[in-house]
Amino acid sequence: MLPFMAGRSGPQGHPLLEVLAGQTIVHTRVAARGTWTVTARGWVLHSRIQLLDQDAVGLRDPRLIGARIATAEMLPDGTLSLALQGGGAGPQPARAPSRLTTATPWRLEGPQRALLEADEKGHLCAAPPGPPVFATPEAVAEFSASEPSGIEQRLLKIAEGTWLHPGHVVELLANAGALEDEEFERRGPILLSRMLARGELRAGFVTDGRFSPWQLSLPEVIEHIGSVWTAIGGRAPGPDTIAWFEITDTGREHLGLTGPQSLPPGMSGYDSPGVVGGFR
């Protein structure tokens, strides 16, 4: 832990702050324990209160959703300052650049347990990303060897007619009896990871009505889904928050499979695994 206040007369950067540049904000949440701002790559800023141009950030703040982080820097007093471009829901004129700030203490968490944290006394703690959390070799192997469950069959059926997004997963889990946010957060990434590992779906962007697949490895996609879903939390993920998914020829071949894996979901395990590999 290093003091960052002493001897500093101007804004300071940090390698983990540089990673934020270009990332888009996809979610904000507010509770008694503070405010969380989440990016599309699964980075989470948590602090007591966060201000957007001196106004407190709110739950799913429409002023922030879709804003892109241009720069991130620490001020001499320990304040974290993010310069933002764009943002705001719905059609509108181009927004003037804005600034998201938070005083100490604050905590920035990234994928694979990356961490940058400033305490109240002006000390900085940093940890670089570590090994995969969600895409361990054991988990990827287990996902690849899995058989389609009933919920996954239903997701493939949806994907036959439209691009799939995490909100579809949330809806089917709720219909199957899921209740707690922790269950959506745990099982949602597992369902998508199993389908991706079996080659039934591919992940990508949807822009101007066109699907563009990501040029990432399977472990990278699985790690991204688990990281961002966990960062957003619970049943909140929906369109444009993690990824879009397109059915593949393999997915179409797996539609309509018969057997115990395709039975309708029930209360006994909801017919898909609850804990796989490194998932909690």
Side-chain angles (χ1 to χ4, degrees):
M1 298 180 70
L2 300 173
F4 59 79
M5 294 172 63
R8 297 192 176 188
S9 58
Q12 299 290 320
H14 188 279
L16 292 179
L17 292 180
E18 294 173 4
V19 174
L20 295 178
Q23 295 193 38
T24 301
I25 295 173
V26 294
H27 187 63
T28 63
R29 65 182 187 269
V30 180
R33 294 185 294 115
T35 301
W36 291 259
T37 294
V38 185
T39 77
R41 298 182 194 170
W43 287 80
V44 183
L45 174 62
H46 176 213
S47 59
R48 291 172 182 165
I49 185 169
Q50 297 173 25
L51 302 176
L52 179 64
D53 296 333
Q54 304 307 312
D55 292 327
V57 170
L59 176 64
R60 299 185 184 90
D61 198 315
R63 301 170 300 165
L64 275 173
I65 305 303
R68 185 177 65 84
I69 300 172
T71 60
E73 57 190 10
M74 296 177 290
L75 305 183
D77 64 355
T79 295
L80 180 62
S81 177
L82 308 182
L84 307 178
Q85 295 177 340
Q92 59 181 6
R95 288 174 57 91
S98 54
R99 191 165 292 275
L100 177 68
T101 58
T102 183
T104 57
W106 50 262
R107 182 181 180 91
L108 180 67
E109 297 178 283
Q112 296 172 227
R113 298 190 175 94
L115 172 68
L116 184 64
E117 183 176 25
D119 68 16
E120 291 178 335
K121 295 184 178 180
H123 292 86
L124 197 65
C125 178
V133 175
F134 301 97
T136 64
E138 296 79 10
V140 174
E142 193 160 356
F143 294 148
S144 300
S146 65
E147 295 290 337
S149 69
I151 287 182
E152 291 158 6
Q153 284 279 314
R154 285 167 166 77
L155 288 170
L156 286 177
K157 191 64 178 176
I158 293 172
E160 232 190 348
T162 188
W163 292 302
L164 202 67
H165 61 71
H168 293 123
V169 179
V170 169
E171 181 180 0
L172 289 191
L173 283 173
N175 290 342
L179 297 173
E180 301 296 329
D181 282 351
E182 290 78 6
E183 186 172 5
F184 289 93
E185 186 176 315
R186 171 175 54 80
R187 296 186 60 227
I190 291 176
L191 290 169
L192 289 169
S193 296
R194 285 161 52 93
M195 298 170 74
L196 288 160
R198 293 194 301 264
E200 297 163 350
L201 297 175
R202 58 179 179 171
F205 300 105
V206 171
T207 307
D208 297 327
R210 300 184 64 179
F211 182 88
S212 300
W214 289 342
Q215 302 303 311
L216 298 173
S217 68
L218 174 63
E220 288 174 322
V221 175
I222 290 175
E223 189 69 21
H224 170 81
I225 293 168
S227 298
V228 181
W229 197 309
T230 301
I232 295 172
R235 65 184 73 197
D240 290 325
T241 56
I242 297 177
W244 292 87
F245 303 92
E246 182 179 61
I247 193 171
T248 65
D249 290 341
T250 298
R252 292 186 179 90
E253 291 172 3
H254 289 183
L255 270 168
L257 290 178
T258 59
Q261 292 83 9
S262 63
L263 292 174
M267 293 302 294
S268 178
Y270 315 120
D271 93 310
S272 65
V275 179
V276 178
F279 289 86
R280 56 182 174 81

